Amino acid sequence: MKRRKFLKNSSTLTAGLISAPMLATCNENNTKTNGPDEISTGIKPIAICTWNFHNATAKAWEVLDQGGSSLDAVEQGVMIEEADVNNQTVGKGGRPDRNGDVTLDACIMDKDGNCGAVLCLQNIAHPISVARKVMEDTPHVMLAGKGAEQFAYEKGFEKEDLLTKKSMQEWTEWKKTSQYKPIINIENHDTIGMLAIDKNGDISGACTTSGMAYKYAGRVGDSPIIGAGLFVDNEIGGATATGVGEEVVRTVGSFLIVELMRQGKSPQEACEEGVKRIIAKNKDNTDFQIGFIAMNKKGETGSYCIQPGFTFRKYSEAGHVNNPSDSFIKT
Ligand code: SD4
């Protein structure tokens, strides 16, 4: 990071927190160092994610603990799930669309409001990293389909077959009875959305998924849509979603939750209100699942979900949020 940029970013912190050691830790090559002289913001770094992806938050925590940025933490954290072929809803091994093609959606957002996304990306195992490249190396926010894939190759990503034998066999079975109709929220869950705050108090977020299983070809859910599946405003906090993307898009769910926090709600209250807004639009349909997690600038977190039949629970109680408060918060 250029020194000027570092100083500019520092100015967003409370004045009293910009200490001499903070600047001293940035040497001429702008390499940050760890150690007791490091910046003291009073912020405890933390990473949280949807569902029970402990390996993902463990990885994110490793990055944060070494003094890394929240952006690196969320990218590297969700990559763990993208690489896990046993997770059939994210990355390689994800369930295909109804034509048998694995198409991936992902987005990422940093502390400065920069963001990048890929939609319906095929043959690339780490869509989150392509999304980051879109954010950092292009003037655009979203790249879709063939264009996104071409961009990924230009950036050095390898072509990979993402359809595993297991996912192919299941899809073949599904085709026998499905009449090619995707069934919302039955085959699919476990998108990973992750939020992290680093030692500088900066928040970033990432969200990545193979989307709804056996979806119509070309279908895109909320996960790569900034404001729907993920939103971060580093002045306030961040939120991310999992569940039936169509419902989250309709209410611009993650943006809504951040705005509710801006109005003074805690992350927990904001998540609950976000879920209630969706319910209010679904008087006759209770057969789906939606969950939000959120984090504010103090590092406070919240989570809430509805299950089919509209049973409500704090998301973490449902086992659907990996808030590693015991093992991964720096004390
Ligand atoms: C989507 N929101 O594509 C994703 C799916 C998901 O848990 O989150 N499943 O709609």
Side-chain angles (χ1 to χ4, degrees):
M1 187 173 15
K2 293 273 182 297
R3 183 178 166 82
R4 183 181 295 171
K5 195 170 171 202
F6 180 78
L7 291 170
K8 183 167 162 268
N9 292 342
S10 302
S11 68
T12 59
L13 298 170
T14 312
L17 300 176
I18 306 172
S19 61
M22 179 176 180
L23 301 179
T25 54
C26 240
N27 67 19
E28 280 312 300
N29 297 323
N30 301 305
T31 311
K32 285 200 200 176
T33 56
N34 290 314
D37 285 343
E38 265 285 7
I39 307 157
S40 174
T41 60
I43 297 289
K44 291 178 180 170
I46 178 175
I48 61 171
C49 72
T50 55
W51 305 98
N52 282 320
F53 298 131
H54 289 284
N55 293 339
T57 40
K59 181 68 201 178
W61 171 248
E62 201 182 297
V63 174
L64 295 172
D65 193 35
Q66 288 167 4
S69 69
S70 54
L71 185 64
D72 287 339
V74 294
E75 181 189 10
Q76 291 181 38
V78 302
M79 281 173 75
I80 297 288
E81 288 309 310
E82 288 182 336
D84 181 358
V85 290
N86 294 317
N87 181 343
Q88 290 180 279
T89 52
V90 181
K92 187 166 180 165
R95 294 195 180 90
D97 65 15
R98 65 182 195 162
N99 293 350
D101 295 318
V102 179
T103 66
L104 306 177
D105 298 332
C107 73
I108 193 159
M109 195 160 186
D110 76 6
K111 66 185 175 62
D112 297 317
N114 300 311
C115 45
V118 288
L119 291 66
C120 241
L121 176 65
Q122 293 188 52
N123 301 314
I124 305 286
H126 287 296
I128 199 66
S129 300
V130 185
R132 184 167 175 176
K133 289 279 180 212
V134 172
M135 173 174 86
E136 292 178 340
D137 295 358
T138 80
H140 308 303
V141 168
M142 294 193 261
L143 291 181
K146 287 285 166 220
E149 192 177 338
Q150 182 189 333
F151 171 76
Y153 297 140
E154 282 166 17
K155 289 291 163 188
F157 290 84
E158 302 271 311
K159 182 169 185 162
E160 255 185 81
D161 185 1
L162 305 179
L163 186 62
T164 55
K165 207 169 155 198
K166 182 165 186 249
S167 287
M168 183 156 76
Q169 279 167 351
E170 287 179 9
W171 170 70
T172 309
E173 282 307 304
W174 173 83
K175 269 202 305 181
K176 288 181 191 162
T177 55
S178 66
Q179 300 168 326
Y180 270 95
K181 284 189 189 142
I183 304 170
I184 279 197
N185 211 40
I186 292 200
E187 298 96 343
N188 181 66
H189 58 82
D190 288 11
T191 290
I192 182 164
M194 181 179 280
L195 303 166
I197 186 166
D198 59 30
K199 64 180 181 175
N200 295 330
D202 289 324
I203 299 175
S204 302
C207 190
T208 177
T209 188
S210 52
M212 190 183 293
Y214 318 134
K215 59 198 174 186
Y216 285 93
R219 180 264 184 190
V220 173
D222 61 316
S223 303
I225 307 295
I226 297 295
L230 173 73
F231 193 70
V232 173
D233 180 334
N234 196 35
E235 282 177 22
I236 305 297
T240 186
T242 181
V244 178
E246 283 72 3
E247 297 302 328
V248 180
V249 169
R250 249 199 279 273
T251 48
V252 201
S254 294
F255 179 75
L256 170 67
I257 285 168
V258 172
E259 288 305 299
L260 290 166
M261 290 194 286
R262 191 190 305 278
Q263 289 163 25
K265 289 201 188 304
S266 69
Q268 184 60 36
E269 289 165 345
C271 287
E272 291 181 17
E273 176 66 24
V275 166
K276 281 178 197 154
R277 295 275 179 101
I278 290 176
I279 289 163
K281 299 268 180 249
N282 282 282
K283 299 236 163 23
D284 303 322
N285 174 18
T286 61
D287 195 21
F288 61 88
Q289 178 264 328
I290 295 283
F292 289 107
I293 62 171
M295 172 186 285
N296 67 13
K297 280 297 272 183
K298 290 186 231 163
E300 294 166 342
T301 62
S303 57
Y304 204 58
C305 79
I306 40 169
Q307 311 277 32
F310 282 0
T311 52
F312 301 88
R313 47 217 307 205
K314 201 170 164 189
Y315 211 21
S316 47
E317 284 160 12
H320 295 159
V321 66
N322 186 2
N323 181 348
S325 33
D326 14 72
S327 40
F328 301 119
I329 295 182
K330 192 163 192 164
T331 51

